Amino acid sequence: MGAALLLALGLLAQSLCLSVGVPGLRRPHTLYPWHRVPAPGRVRRAWVIPPISVSENHKRLPFPLVQIKSDKQQLGSIIYSIQGPGVDEEPRGVFSIDKFTGKVSLNAMLDREKTDRFRLRAFALDLGGSTLEEPTDLEIVVVDQNDNRPVFRQEVFTGRVPEGAVPGTYVTRAEATDADDPETDNAALRYSILEQGGPQLFSIDPHTGEIRTVQVGLDREVVAVYNLTLQVADMSGDGLTATASAIITLEDVNDNAPEFTRGQFFLEATEAISGVDVGRLEVEDRDLPGSPNWVARFTILEGDPDGQFAIRTDPRTNEGVLSVVKPLDYESRERYDLRVAAQNEAPLQAAAPRAERGQARVSVQVRDVNEAPVFQENPLRTSLAEGAAPGTPVATFSARDPDTRQPQRLSYSKDYDPEDWLQVDGATGRVQTQRVLSPASPFLKDGWYRAIILARDDASPPSTATGTLSVEILEVNDHAPELSPPWGSLCSMPDQGSGLLLGATDEDLPPHGAPFHFQLSPRLPELARNWSLSQVNVSHARLRPRLQVQEGLHRLSLLLQDSGQPPQQREQPLNVSVCRCGLDGACLPGAAALRAGGAGISLGALVIVLASVILLLLLALLVALLARCRQQSCDKRLLHGLQDDLRDNILNYDEQGSGEEPQDAYDMDQLRHPAELAVLGAPLGRPSLRRDAPFSWAHPQAPRVLPTSPSDIADFINEGLAAVDSDPTVPPYDTALIYDYEGDGSVAGTLSSILSSLDDEDQDYSCLWDWGPRFARLADLYGPP
């Protein structure tokens, strides 16, 4: 079976015949004729379809591209179709084919920058849908046109280059792109500089876009920034164009040395003052302000051997500021001639021109002023023994006047002397004491006393100097050590307890204090036979008995000595309380005799204390007796002529028996049934005594006869109360009485009416105020108005 495909491409009218073999053999791969056919037989040579080219942006549409034909059947009985991008894939509708004639047409404008080629598949079928030919590839290539301008990657390119750079120095590079086919002239770019704004100092490589210097003469001080206009064109420089800018900045180099604006400067400075500015030295520098190439540094080359001047740079103006760092003395030197040089922080370029005014002369005139006196030694330190007597010389604190060309007289005075201890001679500055300084002064700091002395000249206006006088108060051994405390207790047996630890103190400061020396008094040799004293440390010693010592208070005498020069010693009594101790070395209860002696109290003092206590007790007892007597007399005055029957009964509230009658109260039968008591006579047994009755009382009261008339009732009551008060078998008359019962069948009637007609103005009720708040009301009612 054989087949042929005729392809017509535009006006070329090309035809291609494809042989597929003879009848009876297997169909070969018609689309790939170079493949080997596995079955044996003779095969007709096949043709390769070259790509079909069509230009982008073609406007005459539809435009025929190619025609496909098959010789398998007659025309009209074959159906043609194509598939692929641009047909049934995106972008759809770009290509189409006439299914009966096989003509392929372009239906839309092509853009190579979006799709540069299309690959389609062509098919030939019979009317029944059976394949007549093997599918063949159809490639359509889009031909580029110059429809895109070149584009710079940046609108502004920047570059930096040092001033004075040699020709050929690289500055920066300009870059551009073109969307057209890079294999054609449509994308062949060329660079150029359209404008430089001055001499042709820069060039650009037309192919790479590199910008370089082309000649000398770049000077930042003349032109600091260059603006270039760049252009790029395709078609090797003859096509479409685009422009951009290039800003080139010249970097500063130190090619200009600083120069003084004048060759000589005249300044003036005041003597005796330091740390002040004298004047400014102006310089000029054409380099970049603020950079190390511009900042000036100044040096004094000559004229200042003692280093009394210094020059610093003002960072804002770049001027040199001359200042005095050491006080000037007009009397020593009236004028200074300095030679000053200026240079930059950064080193000067070798090719830079030499500065004409890199150095200058500075003349400084010293102005004379009245200077303050100067103390020859300040502060002045000296020492003085403590307790120095008034008039003791301390020091001569003198000063000198620097104004030697104008001699002046100096005077001295005190400015600070908190204890008013010192006296200063106003003419000579001689200092001496005017009283004794107390060692306890709060103005002594670590043994030093500080005073301030003034020295003043007689110029107009005068000047004053301040001097500090520090006096060290030397410690003197003027105090003997003391026992602390001068008493104690220990065991009577030598082998019991730890003994008595004795300590000493000294008001003197080291080295006039410890170590202390403890010794039993040499005046009493018997002490050493009974007692031993051993040193424990520099401030303590231990006392022990050598033999068994009798219990009680022992008075010893110790000799204490310090380590001062000369040493001070003191003989001091020591009261030792000796006690009987247990096995643990502690005093047994009640075994120590006269513990008070251990507290440092002598026997005589103890007797005086006891006598004082006894005297105070006697005085208290006497006052109590006087108060008792006064109270009894007041009570008798109150009861004398009493108008009312007092039937009060004072009870002891601390005896609260259930249902029992009070044992110390009145026998109410004496008032309720007086007639019956008179008939009965005396009681059957001996009555019980009050708790306060004396043991020797044993005289019973005789029966009393009842009054027969109302006028005798008052006397009967008073006598009865007195008898009751003296009778220890009944409570006293000042007990509480019952007022709601007046007796039964009394011949005298109610007691409230007794002597109601008598005058009671002669009664004294003022003592009721002393009986408490219950009787205060009665005193207010019956007392004097």
Side-chain angles (χ1 to χ4, degrees):
M1 179 177 62
L5 294 175
L6 301 178
L7 304 174
L9 178 59
L11 300 177
L12 298 179
Q14 299 177 351
S15 61
L16 177 64
C17 179
L18 302 177
S19 298
V20 297
V22 296
L25 297 178
R26 294 181 61 187
R27 293 186 301 173
H29 294 279
T30 57
L31 293 179
Y32 306 98
W34 56 86
H35 288 184
R36 308 181 78 182
V37 180
R42 188 167 61 88
V43 180
R44 181 180 297 178
R45 183 177 181 183
W47 296 89
V48 178
I49 304 175
I52 303 171
S53 299
V54 58
S55 176
E56 67 173 334
N57 302 321
H58 201 290
K59 298 181 180 180
R60 292 182 298 172
L61 302 176
F63 177 72
L65 297 178
V66 68
Q67 183 177 10
I68 302 174
K69 289 186 177 181
S70 174
D71 57 355
K72 289 292 185 177
Q73 294 186 11
Q74 296 294 327
L75 185 63
S77 60
I78 301 175
I79 298 175
Y80 300 95
S81 65
I82 55 177
Q83 296 178 355
V87 181
D88 55 354
E89 300 177 13
E90 294 295 337
R92 299 176 182 273
V94 178
F95 304 101
S96 63
I97 187 172
D98 190 315
K99 62 180 180 178
F100 296 110
T101 61
K103 293 181 178 180
V104 179
S105 301
L106 175 65
N107 301 320
M109 293 179 60
L110 300 178
D111 187 356
R112 191 205 67 83
E113 285 69 40
K114 293 182 178 180
T115 307
D116 59 348
R117 63 185 61 236
F118 296 88
R119 289 184 174 84
L120 308 177
R121 300 271 286 175
F123 300 91
L125 306 175
D126 59 12
L127 295 179
S130 299
T131 301
L132 297 177
E133 302 283 354
E134 287 292 333
T136 184
D137 290 335
L138 181 59
E139 184 176 9
I140 301 174
V141 177
V142 181
V143 179
D144 182 50
Q145 288 187 346
N146 192 17
D147 56 349
N148 292 280
R149 290 181 176 275
V151 177
F152 279 103
R153 293 186 181 274
Q154 300 173 209
E155 293 184 1
V156 178
F157 295 91
T158 59
R160 305 181 69 86
V161 62
E163 62 174 331
V166 299
T169 302
Y170 174 82
V171 180
T172 186
R173 178 181 178 182
E175 293 183 276
T177 60
D178 197 315
D180 291 326
D181 189 359
E183 302 297 331
T184 65
D185 284 346
N186 297 334
L189 305 181
R190 297 294 182 268
Y191 299 92
S192 62
I193 299 177
L194 295 181
E195 184 179 356
Q196 297 193 26
Q200 302 297 319
L201 300 177
F202 302 94
S203 65
I204 188 170
D205 189 298
H207 298 280
T208 63
E210 292 183 353
I211 301 176
R212 298 178 179 271
T213 60
V214 294
Q215 58 179 329
V216 297
L218 294 176
D219 189 355
R220 191 205 63 83
E221 288 72 38
V222 177
V223 180
V225 179
Y226 288 90
N227 291 313
L228 279 61
T229 302
L230 308 180
Q231 176 181 279
V232 62
D234 57 14
M235 298 296 292
S236 298
D238 297 330
L240 303 177
T241 62
T243 59
S245 297
I247 299 178
I248 301 175
T249 302
L250 299 187
E251 296 178 343
D252 183 52
V253 298
N254 192 14
D255 55 351
N256 294 280
E259 296 184 358
F260 288 97
T261 57
R262 291 179 296 178
Q264 189 169 6
F265 297 87
F266 295 94
L267 305 176
E268 189 178 39
T270 303
E271 69 165 336
I273 300 177
S274 62
V276 296
D277 296 338
V278 177
R280 290 175 172 262
L281 311 179
E282 299 179 2
V283 295
E284 292 179 346
D285 196 315
R286 299 178 60 196
D287 291 321
L288 181 65
S291 68
N293 303 324
W294 176 79
V295 176
R297 290 292 179 260
F298 300 88
T299 306
I300 299 177
L301 301 179
E302 61 182 29
D304 184 24
D306 298 328
Q308 294 179 293
F309 298 92
I311 305 178
R312 70 179 186 276
T313 303
D314 187 332
R316 185 177 59 86
T317 63
N318 207 30
E319 296 174 328
V321 182
L322 181 66
S323 61
V324 178
V325 295
K326 294 181 180 180
L328 305 178
D329 186 11
Y330 174 81
E331 287 72 22
S332 300
R333 189 171 180 178
E334 300 180 10
R335 179 174 175 175
Y336 291 84
D337 292 318
L338 309 178
R339 185 164 65 92
V340 180
Q343 59 184 9
N344 295 124
E345 287 185 348
L348 191 65
Q349 294 291 330
R354 182 176 177 274
E356 297 180 0
R357 290 184 178 177
Q359 297 183 6
R361 290 283 179 178
V362 181
S363 179
V364 181
Q365 182 69 36
V366 181
R367 185 189 307 117
D368 184 27
V369 296
N370 181 30
E371 300 177 69
V374 178
F375 283 98
Q376 298 178 1
E377 184 181 355
N378 192 13
L380 178 62
R381 301 177 184 271
T382 186
S383 59
L384 198 65
E386 67 170 335
T392 302
V394 178
T396 299
F397 205 8
S398 59
R400 65 175 182 84
D401 192 349
D403 295 316
T404 57
R405 298 187 182 183
Q406 301 176 6
Q408 301 171 105
R409 186 171 58 85
L410 302 182
S411 60
Y412 301 90
S413 63
K414 291 191 305 181
D415 180 65
Y416 178 76
D417 182 13
E419 286 285 357
D420 195 23
W421 177 46
L422 304 175
Q423 183 179 6
V424 181
D425 189 306
T428 62
R430 183 174 177 270
V431 182
Q432 63 182 12
T433 63
Q434 60 182 357
R435 63 184 186 85
V436 178
L437 179 64
S438 172
S441 172
F443 299 99
L444 276 176
K445 305 297 183 182
D446 298 329
W448 287 86
Y449 183 83
R450 176 175 170 270
I452 296 179
I453 310 299
L454 301 179
R456 175 175 297 189
D457 59 24
D458 57 353
S460 180
S463 295
T464 304
T466 302
T468 301
L469 175 62
S470 297
V471 182
E472 182 183 12
I473 307 301
L474 300 178
E475 182 72 18
V476 177
N477 191 18
D478 54 353
H479 294 87
E482 296 182 0
L483 281 175
S484 177
W487 65 81
S489 61
L490 49 73
C491 298
S492 59
M493 301 297 294
D495 56 349
Q496 289 184 339
S498 59
L500 177 58
L501 185 63
L502 303 175
T505 59
D506 197 326
E507 295 184 15
D508 294 321
L509 298 176
H512 301 296
F516 301 114
H517 177 67
F518 296 82
Q519 182 184 2
L520 295 170
S521 176
R523 297 185 303 99
L524 304 173
E526 64 274 9
L527 295 178
R529 292 194 296 267
N530 297 329
W531 306 90
S532 66
L533 196 60
S534 59
Q535 196 84 17
V536 176
N537 52 33
V538 297
S539 60
H540 290 79
R542 192 178 302 278
L543 178 69
R544 290 178 178 272
R546 294 183 182 274
L547 304 174
Q548 182 176 358
V549 182
Q550 182 181 0
E551 299 178 14
L553 180 63
H554 294 261
R555 187 176 181 87
L556 283 66
S557 181
L558 269 65
L559 182 63
L560 276 70
Q561 181 176 309
D562 58 22
S563 299
Q565 294 297 328
Q568 293 281 347
Q569 64 181 12
R570 171 182 298 178
E571 187 170 341
Q572 187 173 357
L574 173 64
N575 295 324
V576 180
S577 178
V578 179
C579 63
R580 186 173 65 257
C581 297
L583 297 178
D584 57 351
C587 291
L588 296 177
L594 297 178
R595 287 289 187 175
I601 302 178
S602 63
L603 182 59
L606 183 59
V607 171
I608 294 175
V609 171
L610 293 178
S612 301
V613 173
I614 293 173
L615 180 60
L616 290 176
L617 292 177
L618 292 176
L619 291 175
L621 182 60
L622 180 60
V623 171
L625 292 176
L626 292 176
R628 177 65 176 174
C629 294
R630 186 182 300 108
Q631 182 179 4
Q632 288 180 357
S633 62
C634 178
D635 294 341
K636 291 181 179 180
R637 289 194 306 270
L638 176 64
L639 294 176
H640 180 71
L642 186 63
Q643 299 178 5
D644 297 331
D645 181 12
L646 301 179
R647 300 181 184 178
D648 296 348
N649 193 6
I650 299 177
L651 305 181
N652 292 332
Y653 288 96
D654 56 348
E655 299 178 5
Q656 299 180 359
S658 175
E660 299 179 359
E661 293 198 10
Q663 300 297 324
D664 297 334
Y666 272 129
D667 186 0
M668 299 303 297
D669 291 337
Q670 295 182 9
L671 296 179
R672 294 178 180 176
H673 307 287
E676 296 178 4
L677 292 176
V679 175
L680 292 176
L684 295 178
R686 183 179 179 180
S688 59
L689 300 179
R690 292 204 309 264
R691 286 175 290 181
D692 59 346
F695 293 103
S696 62
W697 190 91
H699 301 284
Q701 297 291 331
R704 299 173 60 214
V705 180
L706 296 176
T708 57
S709 65
S711 60
D712 298 332
I713 293 179
D715 295 334
F716 176 79
I717 293 177
N718 292 332
E719 293 175 359
L721 291 177
V724 170
D725 186 43
S726 60
D727 188 357
T729 61
V730 296
Y733 76 91
D734 54 353
T735 55
L737 302 179
I738 300 175
Y739 292 92
D740 61 348
Y741 185 75
E742 299 181 354
D744 186 13
S746 174
V747 295
T750 61
L751 296 178
S752 60
S753 61
I754 298 177
L755 301 179
S756 59
S757 62
L758 296 179
D759 189 5
D760 58 354
E761 293 181 357
D762 56 347
Q763 299 293 331
D764 184 9
Y765 297 96
S766 60
C767 61
L768 291 176
W769 288 99
D770 301 331
W771 289 17
R774 294 182 177 272
F775 296 93
R777 182 62 176 169
L778 292 176
D780 186 32
L781 293 175
Y782 294 97

